[in-house]
């Protein structure tokens, strides 16, 4: 075991009536390299600040991921001239709920970084009140500024990132932000030092309506453009979003600007030719930092943002660029430039474009995982579809990755052995455009009764496609495309299929989630050798996970059997909440019962997809979650005696695993089910022969009790 790479911590989640889960970080290997931080949930649109998270005197990293408003703490190992960070989810709950943009800076000069964040068109501020542990206290939900002697709410767009630093070099932090009408930059000067002689107040006065004497348009800058007061020029383009970073780049004791905009891909450097009290932008470099030190310019497809922190523990602040939009970049999107100069006159040298991403599981946009034994060895692997990664033409192309479980039955470890299973990324499944499809969501089951599992995938166009497995019972999957646009079915957008025997007839039925947040159901009226899905039931179970704000739901269904022998339906959603429904058995024409809209009390991003199975053979289910950012989050069952519930509902099956037979020391009719809810064997015996079962995972049910066992060859 590689114990140094295993991080199993105690982030407890209560599952009603069954068990607890703890956040887990099994080892993951790719190309003979172990990922340090595999299960972060992915990073796409990162805002990065320095802060001492574990209070050891070393600055760590707080990554705020806009895709889902997630907080990702990375602990700095503190080795000089070395980039070494360890993700630690235990500190997530030390931070308040944050949205849209987050900047950390020390406003009260106590040496501890405070939080400035967006909140409903306003700036909210939290003070770092840490003593023995990381703690934040709300200072204000509405940051005010004075204008013409009257207090006003400081305006900030949710698409902007302001510059928060000491602009006038008087010892307290000021704020640069764009005004609401267009591309003029406002200076909100903090008068804390002037009024009180210290820096611990937030006493802002708007002292400059056109800081830098510059107007930022859609594709250009207009210099010397401050001719009227107040400045409202409706003839110019409306401001659509920008990011600001104010640092002294040329060592002349005034702040220059590094600016990113929603209309271009490069960082722009605006040189301040004035001084700290009268800024005048007189030079614009639109390919920064290319011209700074013969390095390469940042190329983010749209809307870069920049951050200035010491990454490699050399005492010099480095430059990070990342997209401030969640729609246009998904991998290789965190550009790191190391500072080869000084803090007074930085010289940025390109280092990598996948900072932090190179040590985490990240499948681009969207992750749709399944616990599934793809190689039939009795251990559950992870099969993960995705929405896609960008090709050279700017199209997102979906694929399927395989994380093979190379550990033991009780201790999973994973190797990423294939990132394009069945060559999905090369097949023109999108017949409208004759290109590969995006939004690949897989499900598995033996549809032709040849003792190997076939595959159905859904795509972003609302279609499903059938792949036949030609491997036979003993080998790994050999998937061949059988039917494009299987059943000529179109659910609108984002088809998320699942195969499961819902009516108990031994045939795999088909349930499909979709963009609108509801489900359709296609019962299998054929045979084991010839499935027929000729009936469509809309609004299946009256299930709906539609987000009232967004207007859509992204329902992603998953069925499982609980400890009370009942079928449960759980769904990933647009909001990230996991919904759970019961009252499904013998009620396929009725309404299912919604029992939870926030199952597990977890929120790990938006557009989530879930799988819930017993991976480590402890008779308790484990959970994996995928999200819009393209990453995975892993939870395992907590086996401490104080946290095991419903002990009386668990079956003791032995030997387990087994090749030939199993024994159950209980009387009654015993039914064995496969992973798809099909009853494949029944017996009244305490000793049941299983020689004829194919290798894999099974469930045994008796008297409202359920147990799991593994059949070996």
């Amino acid at each position: 075991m590689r114990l140094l790479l295993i991080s199993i911590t105690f982030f407890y989640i209560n599952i009603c009536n069954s068990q607890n889960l703890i956040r887990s970080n099994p080892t993951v290997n790719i190309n003979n390299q172990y990922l340090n931080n595999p299960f972060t949930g992915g990073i796409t649109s990162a805002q990065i600040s320095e802060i001492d998270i574990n209070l050891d005197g070393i600055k760590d990293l707080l990554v705020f991921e806009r895709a889902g408003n997630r907080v990702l703490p990375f602990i700095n190992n503190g080795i000089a001239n070395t980039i070494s960070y360890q993700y630690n989810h235990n500190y997530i709950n030390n931070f308040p709920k944050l949205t849209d943009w987050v900047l950390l800076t020390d406003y009260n000069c106590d040496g501890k970084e405070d939080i400035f964040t967006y909140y409903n068109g306003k700036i909210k501020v939290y003070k770092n009140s840490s003593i023995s542990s990381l703690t934040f206290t709300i200072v204000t939900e509405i940051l005010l500024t004075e204008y013409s002697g009257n207090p006003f709410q400081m305006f900030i767009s949710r698409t902007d990132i302001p510059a928060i630093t000491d602009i006038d070099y008087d010892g307290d932090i000021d704020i640069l932000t764009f005004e609401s009408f267009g591309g003029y930059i406002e200076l909100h000067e903090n008068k804390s030092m002037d009024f009180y002689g210290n820096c611990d107040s937030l006493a802002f006065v708007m002292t400059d309506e056109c800081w830098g004497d510059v107007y930022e348009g859609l594709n250009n800058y207009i210099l010397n453009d401050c001719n009227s007061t107040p400045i409202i020029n409706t003839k110019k383009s409306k401001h659509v979003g920008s990011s600001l970073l104010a640092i002294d780049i040329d060592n002349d004791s005034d702040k220059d600007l590094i600016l990113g905009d929603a209309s271009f891909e490069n960082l722009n450097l605006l040189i301040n030719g004035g001084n700290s009290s009268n800024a005048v932008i007189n030079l614009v470099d639109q390919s920064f930092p290319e011209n700074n030190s013969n390095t390469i310019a940042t190329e983010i497809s749209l809307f870069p943002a920049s951050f200035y922190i010491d990454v490699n523990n050399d005492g010099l602040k480095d430059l990070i660029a990342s997209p401030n939009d969640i729609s246009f970049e998904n991998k290789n999107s965190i550009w790191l430039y190391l500072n080869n100069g000084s803090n007074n006159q930085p010289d940025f040298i390109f280092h990598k474009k996948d900072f932090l991403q190179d040590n985490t599981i990240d499948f681009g946009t969207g992750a749709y995982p399944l616990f599934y034994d793809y190689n039939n060895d009795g251990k559950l692997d992870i099969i993960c579809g995705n929405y896609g990664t960008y090709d050279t033409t700017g199209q997102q192309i979906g694929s399927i990755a395989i994380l093979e479980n190379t550990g033991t039955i009780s201790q999973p470890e994973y190797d990423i052995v294939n990132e394009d299973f069945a060559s999905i990324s090369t097949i023109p499944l999108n017949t409208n455009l004759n290109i590969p499809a995006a939004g690949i969501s897989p499900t598995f089951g033996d549809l032709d009764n040849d003792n190997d599992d076939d595959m159905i995938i859904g795509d972003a166009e609302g279609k499903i496609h059938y792949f036949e497995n030609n491997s036979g019972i003993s080998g790994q999957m050999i998937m061949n495309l059988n039917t494009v646009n299987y059943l000529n079915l179109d659910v609108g957008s984002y088809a998320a299929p699942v195969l499961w025997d819902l009516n108990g007839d031994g045939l795999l039925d088909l349930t499909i989630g979709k963009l609108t947040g509801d489900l359709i159901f296609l019962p299998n009226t054929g045979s084991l050798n010839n499935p027929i899905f000729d009936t469509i039931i809309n609004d299946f179970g009256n299930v709906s996970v539609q987000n009232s704000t967004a207007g859509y739901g992204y329902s992603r269904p998953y069925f499982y059997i609980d400890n009370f022998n009942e079928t449960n339906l759980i769904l990933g959603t647009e909001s990230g909440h996991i919904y759970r429904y019961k009252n499904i058995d013998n009620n396929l024409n009725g309404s299912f019962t919604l029992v939870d809209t926030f199952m597990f009390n977890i929120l790990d991003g938006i557009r989530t997809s879930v799988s819930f199975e017993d991976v480590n053979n402890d008779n308790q289910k484990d959970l994996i979650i995928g999200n819009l950012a393209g990453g995975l989050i892993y939870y395992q069952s907590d086996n401490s005696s104080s946290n095991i519930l419903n002990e009386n509902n668990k079956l003791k099956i032995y030997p387990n695993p087994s090749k030939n037979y199993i024994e159950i020391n209980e009387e009654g009719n015993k039914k064995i089910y496969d992973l798809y809810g099909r009853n494949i064997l029944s017996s009244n015996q305490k000793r049941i022969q299983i020689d004829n079962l194919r290798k894999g995972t099974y469930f045994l049910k008796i008297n409202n009790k359920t147990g799991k066992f593994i059949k070996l060859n």
Side-chain angles (χ1 to χ4, degrees):
M1 294 299 167
R2 288 160 282 274
L3 297 178
L4 292 177
L5 294 172
I6 298 174
S7 175
I8 300 175
T9 51
F10 298 97
F11 189 98
Y12 289 104
I13 300 166
N14 183 258
I15 304 175
C16 54
N17 301 321
S18 60
Q19 66 181 82
N20 288 329
L21 294 179
I22 51 177
R23 192 83 175 256
S24 180
N25 199 34
T27 61
V28 176
N29 172 77
I30 181 170
N31 298 326
N32 297 316
Q33 296 291 325
Y34 285 93
L35 301 179
N36 290 332
N37 305 299
F39 294 100
T40 64
I43 311 173
T44 294
S45 178
Q47 302 170 16
I48 305 178
S49 298
E50 290 180 300
I51 179 174
D52 185 1
I53 294 174
N54 57 355
L55 307 187
D56 65 349
I58 300 172
K59 297 298 183 185
D60 310 299
L61 297 184
L62 188 282
V63 177
F64 177 74
E65 170 58 50
R66 288 198 71 156
N69 293 320
R70 293 185 297 126
V71 169
L72 305 176
F74 285 85
I75 302 302
N76 188 352
N77 291 324
I79 305 172
N81 300 302
T82 303
I83 302 172
S84 180
Y85 293 90
Q86 188 70 46
Y87 173 66
N88 193 325
H89 62 267
N90 288 306
Y91 294 99
I92 292 174
N93 289 337
N94 292 81
F95 292 89
K97 184 179 179 180
L98 305 170
T99 59
D100 291 298
W101 60 259
V102 175
L103 293 174
L104 272 59
T105 189
D106 179 14
Y107 84 84
N108 58 356
C109 305
D110 63 354
K112 297 179 290 189
E113 285 76 15
D114 311 294
I115 297 175
F116 291 73
T117 186
Y118 177 85
Y119 177 68
N120 291 337
K122 304 176 285 289
I123 296 178
K124 182 187 286 191
V125 183
Y126 294 89
K127 181 174 69 174
N128 188 336
S129 51
S130 305
I131 299 177
S132 59
S133 63
L134 186 65
T135 307
F136 295 93
T137 306
I138 185 70
V139 176
T140 180
E141 290 189 348
I142 306 176
L143 188 62
L144 298 177
T145 188
E146 183 179 305
Y147 176 69
S148 299
N150 298 306
F152 288 92
Q153 167 187 313
M154 191 181 300
F155 174 80
I156 184 69
S157 165
R158 67 190 302 259
T159 58
D160 284 349
I161 298 180
I164 305 178
T165 188
D166 187 2
I167 299 294
D168 55 7
Y169 290 82
D170 69 345
D172 51 28
I173 63 106
D174 312 296
I175 297 178
L176 294 177
T177 185
F178 278 93
E179 50 93 16
S180 59
F181 293 99
Y184 295 103
I185 301 170
E186 297 176 342
L187 170 61
H188 300 270
E189 185 181 339
N190 191 353
K191 296 294 186 177
S192 182
M193 291 296 296
D194 299 271
F195 294 165
Y196 312 112
N198 56 61
C199 59
D200 64 355
S201 298
L202 299 169
F204 290 98
V205 178
M206 189 174 70
T207 58
D208 194 340
E209 297 174 90
C210 187
W211 186 89
D213 197 16
V214 62
Y215 176 88
E216 192 236 339
L218 288 176
N219 297 297
N220 66 328
Y221 298 90
I222 304 174
L223 306 182
N224 303 310
D225 195 56
C226 301
N227 301 315
S228 60
T229 305
I231 300 167
I232 301 174
N233 191 340
T234 58
K235 294 181 180 180
K236 293 178 177 174
S237 303
K238 294 292 185 179
H239 178 68
V240 293
S242 295
S243 63
L244 298 175
L245 173 66
I247 63 174
D248 185 6
I249 200 88
D250 52 5
N251 197 24
D252 63 351
S253 300
D254 58 37
K255 292 293 194 280
D256 310 292
L257 276 186
I258 300 174
L259 188 148
D261 188 88
S263 60
F264 50 76
E265 65 182 19
N266 293 75
L267 290 174
N268 288 190
L269 173 63
L270 281 62
I271 294 294
N272 184 358
N275 53 55
S276 61
S277 59
N278 183 30
V280 179
I281 302 300
N282 60 2
L283 179 66
V284 178
D285 177 2
Q286 294 187 287
S287 59
F288 179 80
E290 181 179 55
N291 298 326
N292 194 42
S293 183
N294 296 316
T295 192
I296 63 174
T298 302
E299 293 184 12
I300 290 171
S301 61
L302 200 65
F303 205 174
S306 55
F307 308 93
Y308 192 46
I309 56 179
D310 181 10
V311 170
N312 59 348
N313 298 296
D314 65 352
L316 302 177
K317 291 194 174 187
D318 310 297
L319 182 71
I320 295 173
S322 179
N324 196 39
D325 189 282
I326 64 175
S327 304
F328 296 95
E329 293 283 354
N330 51 30
K331 295 186 75 171
N332 298 320
S333 60
I334 305 178
W335 291 52
L336 172 61
Y337 296 83
L338 297 179
N339 188 351
N340 197 42
S342 65
N343 287 327
N344 294 325
Q345 194 166 8
D347 182 17
F348 297 119
I349 306 298
F350 173 77
H351 183 67
K352 62 170 51 180
K353 60 176 68 175
D354 59 353
F355 174 57
L356 299 178
Q357 295 172 309
D358 58 343
N359 264 304
T360 188
I361 295 171
D362 194 329
F363 295 123
T365 299
Y368 316 135
L370 289 173
F371 285 129
Y372 175 74
D373 184 6
Y374 96 100
N375 56 358
N376 203 27
D377 66 352
K379 297 178 294 186
L380 291 178
D381 314 291
I382 299 172
I383 311 298
C384 191
N386 69 350
Y387 184 86
T389 56
Y390 287 95
D391 67 6
T392 56
T393 68
Q395 290 284 343
Q396 289 210 67
I397 304 299
S399 59
I400 296 174
I402 294 179
L403 288 72
E404 182 180 339
N405 187 348
T406 57
T408 66
I409 289 174
S410 60
Q411 182 65 62
E413 300 181 10
Y414 299 96
D415 283 2
I416 301 178
V417 297
N418 194 338
E419 293 191 72
D420 193 17
F421 175 63
S423 301
I424 299 293
S425 73
T426 67
I427 304 172
L429 297 175
N430 186 332
T431 55
N432 293 328
L433 301 175
N434 194 34
I435 61 173
I440 304 300
S441 182
T443 186
F444 298 89
D446 188 359
L447 291 171
D448 52 9
N449 198 32
D450 64 350
N451 289 315
D452 55 27
D453 284 346
D454 309 295
M455 177 173 70
I456 290 178
I457 64 170
D459 68 20
E461 300 299 314
K463 310 294 178 55
I464 61 173
H465 314 283
Y466 173 38
F467 287 74
E468 184 180 354
N469 187 359
N470 295 312
S471 64
I473 188 171
S474 60
Q476 295 189 2
M477 290 183 166
I478 303 173
M479 287 294 178
N480 294 308
L481 178 63
N482 181 288
T483 308
V484 176
N485 194 9
Y486 184 52
L487 308 177
N488 291 316
L489 190 66
D490 187 346
V491 304
S493 298
Y494 295 92
V498 58
L499 289 167
W500 184 271
D501 181 11
L502 281 170
N503 54 15
D505 64 356
L507 304 176
L508 294 176
D509 307 303
L510 184 59
T511 305
I512 304 176
K514 50 185 179 173
L515 174 66
T516 50
D518 54 330
L519 305 176
I520 67 169
F521 178 57
L522 293 88
N524 188 348
T525 59
S527 65
L528 289 172
N529 299 314
N530 183 34
I532 297 174
F533 303 100
D534 56 2
T535 301
I536 298 177
I537 299 174
N538 293 303
D539 299 317
F540 182 48
N542 286 319
V543 169
S544 178
V545 298
Q546 187 174 109
N547 184 292
S548 58
T549 302
Y552 41 79
Y554 288 92
S555 55
R556 309 198 65 83
Y558 191 85
F559 294 100
Y560 73 95
I561 305 295
D562 66 17
N563 284 347
F564 299 97
N565 211 2
E566 296 181 26
T567 302
N568 284 230
L569 166 66
I570 56 177
L571 300 105
T573 66
E574 163 65 20
S575 67
H577 288 201
I578 301 172
Y579 280 53
R580 181 166 70 102
Y581 288 83
K582 298 190 69 170
N583 189 26
I584 298 168
D585 299 316
N586 303 310
N587 186 35
L588 301 185
N589 294 316
S591 296
F592 304 156
T593 301
L594 177 62
V595 294
D596 206 337
T597 61
F598 199 10
M599 190 181 178
F600 315 127
N601 295 317
I602 58 174
L603 188 61
D604 285 320
I606 59 175
R607 298 185 196 172
T608 50
S609 183
V610 298
S611 186
F612 193 43
E613 296 292 346
D614 180 7
V615 179
N616 55 3
N617 203 35
D618 63 353
N619 212 27
Q620 307 247 3
K621 292 187 182 297
D622 309 289
L623 175 73
I624 194 163
I625 300 174
N627 61 23
L628 178 63
L632 302 176
I633 304 97
Y634 199 111
Y635 295 87
Q636 73 171 41
S637 53
D638 171 32
N639 290 321
S640 62
S641 58
S642 60
N643 288 298
I644 301 294
L645 306 178
N646 301 310
E647 191 70 29
N648 294 331
N649 287 86
K650 293 167 47 183
L651 285 174
K652 294 179 173 62
I653 303 172
Y654 56 93
N656 188 11
S658 177
K659 293 182 179 181
N660 308 113
Y661 68 91
I662 56 173
E663 293 189 3
I664 310 96
N665 193 27
E666 290 199 30
E667 300 288 345
N669 185 35
K670 305 168 186 68
K671 294 184 176 182
I672 294 177
Y673 291 80
D674 63 13
L675 284 171
Y676 312 104
R678 296 184 296 183
N679 180 200
I680 59 173
L681 183 63
S682 298
S683 175
N684 288 313
Q685 304 298 313
K686 291 185 178 180
R687 180 169 174 148
I688 303 173
Q689 293 299 130
I690 58 173
D691 305 75
N692 294 327
L693 297 183
R694 45 185 291 202
K695 184 170 64 174
T697 302
Y698 296 89
F699 298 96
L700 187 145
K701 304 177 187 178
I702 180 177
N703 301 328
N704 292 324
K705 298 180 181 180
T706 301
K708 173 196 166 186
F709 69 93
I710 295 173
K711 166 67 167 61
L712 302 175
N713 278 341

